[in-house]
Amino acid sequence: MKKTAIITGADGGMGTEITRAVAQAGYHVIMICYTAFKGEERKSQLILETKNTDIEVVQADLSSLESLTHAIGKLIKKVGSIDLLMNNAGTMATHFTQTEDGFEHTVAVNYIAPYLLTRKLLPLMHPGSRIVNMVSCTYSIGKIGSQFFQKGKQGNFWRIPIYSNTKLALWLFTRELSQRLKDTGITVNAADPGVVSTNIISMDMWFDPLTDLLFRPCIRTPREGADMAIRLLLNPEYENQTGNMYVSGKQRKLKPQYLNHPQMKSLWEDTEKELTERGISFSIAKD
């Protein structure tokens, strides 16, 4: 039976590169995309390039629990087993917006969505399945306070610390999940792509056009940014590695506070509570 891979943000810059590599490796690939039209366009392009016709699109707005839950239902019906899950999608909101569910928008997409998607799809995984979460070096300046879910950070809105907070949260989820799954044979790791030239770098402040002009030519291409995630998904050397963060082909040496962070378990429980209050239930099969 052909192996199955699920990739979020699959129609974006790095998402396309990851999808291409996984499709070339012969997987049945499910692209989770924000818009079906763009996803289908990218799918057609990738089929021509990879000669793998076993690629399909599932539309989901990752900021919406209703949309994501609907997509999860489709995925569970479509596949009997999941071999790779790539939580790649990410955003950086330029102004304060709460979703229909009451979460700050960046928090919803960058953290709530991969948490929910991963936990709901765990029953379809097996020994050898790999989960890879796309983090960022900015995790190291992240802080998760009492207003994290609703506002992203304490005090006034500022996009960069909110983004950093979501990446810290995603790393803590990676680490906690790896410990909970340590006896299952399912691996969970994080990839740091570096600073990548993608649309997530939104140039909307007065100094940003100059920053764009000076720095964008020097930063990584989407393929270079996607490289570490592709390795973690496909390379045999990472088959039994779990609970680690990798960048530029190497395991990142993390400070002890990030390996046994005091908020790892509490954030997991707080997130579950937030989602349960919004009508989402969790099984305890593999958690």
Side-chain angles (χ1 to χ4, degrees):
M1 181 181 295
K2 183 176 283 191
K3 293 182 177 181
T4 296
I6 296 174
I7 302 166
T8 69
D11 56 344
M14 288 192 294
T16 296
E17 299 297 339
I18 295 167
T19 303
R20 180 183 289 111
V22 173
Q24 287 174 334
Y27 283 76
H28 166 216
V29 185
I30 300 178
M31 305 170 63
I32 299 183
C33 303
Y34 179 64
T35 61
F37 177 76
K38 184 179 177 183
E40 291 293 341
E41 276 193 330
R42 196 56 53 90
K43 166 189 162 181
S44 298
Q45 170 193 339
L46 290 169
I47 288 175
L48 287 173
E49 292 175 1
T50 66
K51 311 303 180 187
N52 182 346
T53 59
D54 204 2
I55 304 174
E56 57 184 310
V57 174
V58 169
Q59 187 276 330
D61 176 356
L62 298 185
S63 71
S64 165
L65 293 182
E66 181 180 8
S67 178
L68 181 55
T69 300
H70 181 67
I72 290 169
K74 283 186 176 181
L75 292 171
I76 291 172
K77 289 180 180 179
K78 280 178 179 291
V79 298
S81 177
I82 297 171
D83 299 273
L84 306 178
L85 173 59
M86 178 71 231
N87 288 308
N88 163 73
T91 190
M92 187 191 298
T94 58
H95 58 279
F96 177 68
T97 306
Q98 275 193 335
T99 69
E100 61 194 22
D101 305 298
F103 296 122
E104 191 280 326
H105 188 268
T106 302
V107 173
V109 175
N110 292 6
Y111 172 65
I112 297 291
Y115 177 98
L116 178 57
L117 181 66
T118 303
R119 288 200 59 188
K120 285 293 188 180
L121 295 182
L122 274 177
L124 300 180
M125 297 184 191
H126 53 81
S129 292
R130 303 188 192 188
I131 301 167
V132 178
N133 296 324
M134 194 71 84
V135 294
S136 161
C137 62
T138 62
Y139 78 92
S140 61
I141 60 172
K143 294 180 180 179
I144 300 171
S146 61
Q147 295 182 306
F148 171 68
F149 293 102
Q150 286 72 38
K151 297 183 65 177
K153 65 181 288 291
Q154 310 302 108
N156 295 331
F157 177 88
W158 187 16
R159 60 180 175 165
I160 295 174
I162 292 175
Y163 178 82
S164 303
N165 296 348
T166 65
K167 293 304 181 178
L168 172 59
L170 188 56
W171 163 245
L172 297 186
F173 173 58
T174 303
R175 186 72 178 168
E176 176 67 15
L177 182 61
S178 72
Q179 294 186 3
R180 292 179 182 239
L181 297 178
K182 63 182 179 180
D183 297 322
T184 67
I186 301 170
T187 63
V188 194
N189 291 292
D192 174 3
V195 182
V196 183
S197 181
T198 68
N199 292 332
I200 199 171
I201 303 176
S202 179
M203 302 299 165
D204 69 324
M205 298 179 70
W206 68 267
F207 56 83
D208 282 346
L210 180 60
T211 305
D212 193 28
L213 179 65
L214 293 175
F215 292 102
R216 199 181 282 273
C218 304
I219 59 182
R220 296 181 177 183
T221 64
R223 179 59 183 83
E224 291 169 336
D227 181 69
M228 191 66 251
I230 292 169
R231 294 188 194 195
L232 288 171
L233 290 168
L234 299 176
N235 287 15
E237 64 190 280
Y238 299 105
E239 184 176 0
N240 298 312
Q241 301 301 310
T242 192
N244 302 319
M245 186 187 298
Y246 295 87
V247 60
S248 301
K250 298 178 181 179
Q251 182 178 339
R252 172 168 276 150
K253 293 182 179 179
L254 298 170
K255 295 179 180 179
Q257 71 189 82
Y258 294 110
L259 295 174
N260 295 288
H261 197 282
Q263 289 179 285
M264 275 169 45
K265 287 182 171 55
S266 62
L267 179 63
W268 175 291
E269 293 165 358
D270 289 345
T271 308
E272 180 173 303
K273 180 181 177 183
E274 291 282 344
L275 291 170
T276 301
E277 289 175 351
R278 289 162 174 81
I280 293 174
S281 61
F282 293 95
S283 68
I284 59 172
K286 291 190 178 182
D287 296 353

